[in-house]
Amino acid sequence: MRTRGVLGGVVAAALVFVALAVIGHLNPVRQLGVGTDRLGPDSGEQVVDYLARAEASLRSDNTEPRWGSVSFDRELTAQQAYAVADGIRISQVLVRVPLDRVQTPILTVGVPGSERSVLNSTARAASLATESFGAGDRQAQIAAVSQQRLLDGCACVVTLVVRATPAELSELAGRADVRAVQALPSDAVSGKFAVEPLLPEHVDVVGPLPDDGPVPTR
């Protein structure tokens, strides 16, 4: 009887261990020291709340440079975006071709910060356009018109990822065409954070844009 009790206890303990392992797999515990930094609004977030959150992120006594995102109140050409940054180091250019009531993807182009690389960002994004669309006639039409507009140097830049001090980012936030500047903590690592642009079409709530309009031919 005692042996059965011991065996029963072992089996029960094993079942508890398996159950905990399954729960742990389905709900993994976040490891200390490992996190995901993010620039930009959350899906479903009120725009006014994000704007306040972005402004608060610039308040810091720490003068070390940090990564930040610059969202515009309208789509800009690459040349216009470079002029707005005006000496601030640019790391990435986020591009989206605006088509009325047609969803188009966000295309991210890494740039080394030079003027030439920024000015060429929309043309480089054109080569990414076809890779970002799914299959289907409508998707092919969107890809074609997006590529053509990007090659034509359209006003398609919606966000820049930059590197600057809090003071520089605060000054940048007050420049013309800038809608929001958000900063990450100074210990954020390049390539280890996500970026979500605040699109000019996001007025009240951040969410999917309409996709029920006709695709233009050009």
Side-chain angles (χ1 to χ4, degrees):
M1 296 294 291
R2 186 175 181 183
T3 302
R4 288 185 179 179
V6 172
L7 289 175
V10 171
V11 171
L15 290 174
V16 170
F17 176 80
V18 171
L20 290 175
V22 171
I23 293 172
H25 176 71
L26 296 176
N27 302 279
V29 177
R30 184 172 177 176
Q31 298 180 23
L32 294 177
V34 178
T36 301
D37 289 313
R38 175 188 173 91
L39 287 168
D42 296 322
S43 179
E45 184 174 12
Q46 295 284 334
V47 170
V48 65
D49 291 340
Y50 171 68
L51 294 177
R53 184 160 62 86
E55 183 179 0
S57 74
L58 303 180
R59 304 188 196 112
S60 175
D61 295 330
N62 189 329
T63 59
E64 294 182 15
R66 72 259 332 270
W67 296 104
S69 63
V70 184
S71 298
F72 302 109
D73 54 17
R74 63 188 178 96
E75 291 87 356
L76 301 180
T77 65
Q79 185 173 10
Q80 289 170 332
Y82 182 80
V84 170
D86 190 23
I88 299 293
R89 174 186 166 190
I90 301 172
S91 173
Q92 291 180 328
V93 179
L94 275 66
V95 175
R96 175 184 173 272
V97 177
L99 301 178
D100 186 34
R101 301 191 71 84
V102 175
Q103 284 191 11
T104 56
I106 306 297
L107 306 172
T108 301
V109 180
V111 295
S114 67
E115 180 178 7
R116 178 181 293 246
S117 66
V118 175
L119 298 186
N120 289 339
S121 58
T122 49
R124 289 173 57 196
S127 63
L128 303 174
T130 54
E131 302 172 10
S132 302
F133 292 91
D137 292 341
R138 179 179 173 85
Q139 297 302 314
Q141 293 170 1
I142 295 173
V145 70
S146 295
Q147 273 193 318
Q148 186 57 57
R149 294 193 180 189
L150 288 166
L151 290 172
D152 290 342
C154 62
C156 299
V157 177
V158 291
T159 295
L160 299 177
V161 176
V162 299
R163 179 82 172 170
T165 65
E168 290 171 329
L169 292 174
S170 295
E171 192 274 331
L172 179 57
R175 296 180 186 176
D177 296 320
V178 174
R179 188 180 185 191
V181 176
Q182 181 186 359
L184 287 177
S186 59
D187 60 355
V189 179
S190 175
K192 299 295 184 180
F193 56 85
V195 183
E196 185 69 27
L198 176 66
L199 298 177
E201 293 90 339
H202 290 151
V203 178
D204 298 315
V205 180
V206 176
L209 299 176
D211 191 31
D212 55 5
V215 181
T217 57
R218 280 186 59 87

